[in-house]
Amino acid sequence: MNAADLAGWIRHAATLVSADAERLTRLDAAIGDGDHGLNLDRGFTAAVEAVDALPGDAPPSKVLIAAGRAIVSKTGGASGPLYGTALRRAGKAVADLPDVDAAALGAALTAALEGVQELGQAAEGDKTMVDALIPAVAAYEAALAGGADLTSCARAAADGAAQGAEATVPLQARKGRASYLGARSTGHMDPGASSTALILRALADVTVEG
Amino acid sequence: MTRMVGIVLISHSRALAEGAAELARAMGVGKAVVEPAGGDPDGGLGTSLDRVERAVATANDGDGVLLLADIGSSVLTAKTFIEDAEDRDPTDAVEAVLADAPLVEGAVAAASMAATGADLTTVQAAAESARDLRKLGPA
């Protein structure tokens, strides 16, 4: 993936988030403070503006870092610093590569996951975006180890994230506002895991299209 | 004029950050520098990295800045500010640490200590001592 492909990912993710903003907000209203879709829509809109404002010869790392910075600044709620950190760590991981191949994208996703876990201190099973991100990265790495190309790896990650998001439904939250609800937080999909699944679906979509 | 550790209060609510800052300044006998960073960029409920950056710049006079946060994304925004500091231009460099302390009690304790001219580590320790302050005595 070159810089234009990654910018395409940010744009497509923004489109998917915007289309699903109401559903994300509804999920968040059940167990959070009811603003996740709205917040993330605002953050990704800013990310698209930031990416569009970059010079045409900006490398892949700059695309990811600029998008991350915009998301931190404009997204309210915990998802802003978390997604912003994820994108910026991914950007740092690709360093000065002009083109991100399957192995480099895997390393970037791993770095993103590490950044999210470092910042949010969430573990698997806490009912957070980490529950989508961990299986996504694991599925990507497994596909990569099996010799799959970038598109197949990204699809595996998107499927892993979707399954991980589904698996948050029965969990009891141990992080964020939902944790105050105790057992009442079960029976709802975690909004952060759900948006993570969307963002990784966007990645798989653009690699197919590109 | 001796330099002093600055204090920045990060809250989801602008009113809460300002009220806690008002209280902490009083406990810092008007000497402690306590800056609020409350609300989202539009002043609604939420947190804003931009507001934190501005508040830290105002509170910093070279002896470092102690951050206190209320809940959830306030903590993440504070940690993001600190992580960003590593990439910041050396001329804008500021030593900032996040106290593991409750916002109001921690701010009062930090401002009281900062007013004595104590260093950042000592001010942080004062704030964190407020974490274990029981209101109804030992259990």
Side-chain angles (χ1 to χ4, degrees), chain A residues 2-18:
Chain A
N2 60 24
D5 297 329
L6 289 167
W9 170 33
I10 300 300
R11 284 192 205 97
H12 188 46
T15 304
L16 293 191
V17 164
S18 180

Side-chain angles (χ1 to χ4, degrees), chain B residues 12-57:
Chain B
H12 282 66
S13 157
R14 191 171 174 166
L16 178 53
E18 287 172 357
E22 179 192 17
L23 179 61
R25 282 186 195 118
M27 297 300 163
V29 290
K31 289 198 283 186
V33 178
V34 187
E35 287 295 317
D40 73 6
D42 304 324
L45 289 180
T47 53
S48 157
L49 185 61
D50 294 346
R51 280 185 189 276
V52 173
E53 285 173 345
R54 286 201 300 271
V56 169

Side-chain angles (χ1 to χ4, degrees), chain A residues 89 97 121 129:
Chain A
R89 289 289 183 92
L97 291 175
Q121 301 286 311
M129 63 172 72

Side-chain angles (χ1 to χ4, degrees), chain B residues 41-102:
Chain B
D42 304 324
L45 289 180
T47 53
S48 157
L49 185 61
D50 294 346
R51 280 185 189 276
V52 173
E53 285 173 345
R54 286 201 300 271
V56 169
T58 305
N60 181 40
D61 75 355
D63 266 7
V65 175
L66 183 71
L67 310 179
L68 287 118
D70 60 1
I71 55 173
S73 69
S74 292
V75 177
L76 301 187
T77 301
K79 288 169 76 175
T80 301
F81 173 84
I82 291 166
E83 183 171 324
D84 281 5
E86 295 162 12
D87 300 332
R88 216 161 276 140
D89 195 282
T91 53
D92 298 331
V94 46
E95 196 185 353
V97 290
L98 173 63
D100 190 356

Side-chain angles (χ1 to χ4, degrees), chain A:
Chain A
M1 296 181 86
N2 60 24
D5 297 329
L6 289 167
W9 170 33
I10 300 300
R11 284 192 205 97
H12 188 46
T15 304
L16 293 191
V17 164
S18 180
D20 245 359
E22 222 169 285
R23 183 181 64 88
L24 292 174
T25 289
R26 208 164 49 238
L27 288 175
D28 196 31
I31 57 171
D33 53 2
D35 58 6
H36 187 54
L38 202 75
N39 278 340
L40 208 55
D41 190 12
R42 188 168 62 184
F44 267 92
T45 300
V48 169
E49 283 168 13
V51 164
D52 285 348
L54 288 173
D57 60 351
S61 65
K62 284 270 192 299
V63 171
L64 296 170
I65 289 168
R69 169 74 209 185
I71 285 176
V72 170
S73 294
K74 295 296 176 198
T75 314
S79 57
L82 290 168
Y83 281 129
T85 294
L87 283 167
R88 290 192 298 180
R89 289 289 183 92
K92 283 185 187 172
V94 303
D96 51 3
L97 291 175
D99 202 79
V100 179
D101 64 9
L105 185 61
L109 290 174
T110 300
L113 169 62
E114 284 168 1
V116 165
Q117 287 201 280
E118 211 176 284
L119 185 63
Q121 301 286 311
E124 199 162 14
D126 284 346
K127 197 172 176 115
T128 73
M129 63 172 72
V130 164
D131 288 309
L133 210 41
I134 286 178
V137 172
Y140 189 103
E141 291 296 340
L144 186 67
D149 64 5
L150 189 147
T151 300
S152 302
C153 289
R155 276 188 185 157
D159 292 344
Q163 286 159 17
E166 283 295 336
T168 64
V169 173
L171 296 177
Q172 180 169 327
R174 292 194 292 252
K175 282 275 168 187
R177 188 218 178 238
S179 65
Y180 300 135
L181 300 179
R184 291 188 185 196
S185 65
T186 64
H188 304 274
M189 189 189 291
D190 178 66
S194 187
S195 58
T196 293
L198 274 185
I199 293 163
L200 288 170
R201 178 60 58 197
L203 180 64
D205 287 351
V206 295
T207 60
V208 172
E209 287 165 9

